[in-house]
């Protein structure tokens, strides 16, 4: 169903953009989390919560998801090698290798 596909595309595109925004705005916290994980390989729930408090992290309201597809804002427009066959919803060819989903 094309309407369902567009809705999925909208949700995925906007989730990607929102995740990128959150990670970019909290870059220092992400780096500290990375350093903690590199050192101990495990971060407890309490340690993670303290990290969130130290950096004053907030929940993101669902309302930030937009009605637009926002495809033009994504760093990729189409997967490399993907060929879309308009005659079939299930046919995909990757670099001349045929397969059916």
């Amino acid at each position: 169903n094309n309407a369902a596909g567009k809705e999925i595309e909208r949700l995925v595109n906007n989730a990607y953009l929102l995740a990128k925004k959150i990670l970019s705005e909290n870059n220092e916290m992400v780096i500290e989390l990375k350093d903690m994980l590199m050192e101990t390989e495990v971060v407890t729930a309490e340690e993670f919560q303290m990290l969130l408090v130290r950096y004053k992290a907030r929940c993101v309201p669902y309302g930030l998801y937009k009605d637009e597809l926002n495809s033009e804002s994504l760093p990729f427009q189409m997967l490399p090698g993907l060929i879309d066959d308009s005659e079939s919803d299930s046919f995909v060819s990757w670099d001349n290798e045929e397969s059916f989903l």
Side-chain angles (χ1 to χ4, degrees):
N1 184 334
N2 195 29
K6 289 293 183 189
E7 180 64 8
I8 291 168
E9 181 180 2
R10 183 187 71 81
L11 290 171
V12 170
N13 291 355
N14 286 298
Y16 172 86
L17 293 171
L18 183 58
K20 184 177 177 182
K21 180 180 190 298
I22 291 168
L23 291 172
S24 297
E25 290 176 354
N26 295 288
N27 190 41
E28 290 179 26
M29 183 179 71
V30 171
I31 290 172
E32 185 172 340
L33 177 60
K34 177 216 35 133
D35 292 341
M36 292 169 68
L37 290 168
M38 292 293 290
E39 185 177 317
T40 62
E41 295 185 12
V42 175
V43 174
T44 65
E46 292 81 13
E47 291 170 327
F48 187 70
Q49 288 172 342
M50 291 304 298
L51 191 62
L52 294 173
V53 169
R54 185 168 40 250
Y55 286 93
K56 298 178 176 84
R58 298 184 326 253
C59 292
V60 177
Y62 179 77
L64 289 179
Y65 279 95
K66 299 179 177 138
D67 291 332
E68 300 86 32
L69 289 178
N70 287 314
S71 298
E72 66 283 348
S73 300
L74 299 175
F76 49 86
Q77 296 302 313
M78 194 168 198
L79 295 173
L82 181 63
I83 299 169
D84 184 20
D85 184 355
S86 59
E87 294 178 16
S88 170
D89 292 332
S90 61
F91 179 78
V92 179
S93 175
W94 290 91
D95 297 327
N96 298 325
E97 293 180 13
E98 296 181 357
S99 63
F100 290 90
L101 299 176

